[in-house]
């Protein structure tokens, strides 16, 4: 029996500053899921036909626009960009942050609002720090969330 997934299931990675690319490769190759690494600069990839580089132009949000246009219910999108996550969730994609947190239709509105609030606070100088440093626990949660997303999509046939 062939355990390969339908060709429509794939993973799209917003590669700029993504700390979990190696984890994506490992899980995707285990399940034979195609991966597209989307960036506006060259990123070294493992030599495997399932992993493809998509090099977009350097225009503002070019990678985000490409990913959003390709997002579908049979797509897992990996991004830390909340506005991109919002666009992909609206397209029906499964969206995961690098820390393993899923962005869903139920959670994305609050994430967008929080992002806007934090941007306003930073602009006023009230908040000067950024997100907490990426941790081993974040990496572990991401691995688990990606594995679960693939299994779920595989089971539902998306």
């Amino acid at each position: 029996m062939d355990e390969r997934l339908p060709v429509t299931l794939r993973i799209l990675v917003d590669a700029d500053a993504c700390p979990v690319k190696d984890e994506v490769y490992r899980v995707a190759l285990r399940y034979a899921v195609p991966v597209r690494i989307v960036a506006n600069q060259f990123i070294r990839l493992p030599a495997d036909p399932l992993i493809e580089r998509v090099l977009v132009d350097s225009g503002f949000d070019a990678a985000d626009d490409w990913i959003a246009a390709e997002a579908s219910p049979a797509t897992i999108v990996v991004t830390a960009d909340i506005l991109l996550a919002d666009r992909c969730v609206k397209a029906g994609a499964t969206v995961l942050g690098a820390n393993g947190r899923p962005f869903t239709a139920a959670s994305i509105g609050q994430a967008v609002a929080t992002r806007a609030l934090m941007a306003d606070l930073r602009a006023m100088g009230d908040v000067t720090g950024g997100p907490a440093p990426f941790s081993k626990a974040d990496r572990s949660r991401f691995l688990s969330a990606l594995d679960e997303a693939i299994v779920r999509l595989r089971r539902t046939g998306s």
Side-chain angles (χ1 to χ4, degrees), residues 64-111:
D64 293 0
D65 291 343
W66 192 95
I67 292 168
E70 294 289 318
S72 74
T75 306
I76 298 170
V77 175
V78 179
T79 185
D81 184 321
I82 293 169
L83 297 181
L84 173 58
D86 182 42
R87 294 169 67 187
C88 295
V89 165
K90 288 176 180 169
T94 298
V95 184
L96 298 174
N99 61 3
R101 184 181 86 200
F103 292 102
T104 65
S107 70
I108 196 66
Q110 181 167 346

Side-chain angles (χ1 to χ4, degrees), residues 27-143:
V27 175
L29 293 176
R30 181 174 50 219
Y31 287 104
V33 177
V35 176
R36 291 198 173 151
I37 302 297
V38 185
N40 60 11
Q41 60 185 328
F42 180 83
I43 294 177
R44 187 174 306 279
L45 302 179
D48 191 287
L50 286 173
I51 302 171
E52 178 183 343
R53 176 185 306 106
V54 176
L55 196 58
V56 297
D57 65 39
S58 60
F60 183 72
D61 283 344
D64 293 0
D65 291 343
W66 192 95
I67 292 168
E70 294 289 318
S72 74
T75 306
I76 298 170
V77 175
V78 179
T79 185
D81 184 321
I82 293 169
L83 297 181
L84 173 58
D86 182 42
R87 294 169 67 187
C88 295
V89 165
K90 288 176 180 169
T94 298
V95 184
L96 298 174
N99 61 3
R101 184 181 86 200
F103 292 102
T104 65
S107 70
I108 196 66
Q110 181 167 346
V112 170
T114 300
R115 178 193 177 279
L117 175 63
M118 294 306 290
D120 289 346
L121 291 174
R122 278 191 295 277
M124 293 186 305
D126 292 340
V127 175
T128 56
F134 192 72
S135 70
K136 287 176 84 174
D138 292 331
R139 192 173 310 278
S140 178
R141 270 192 306 277
F142 175 80
L143 281 166

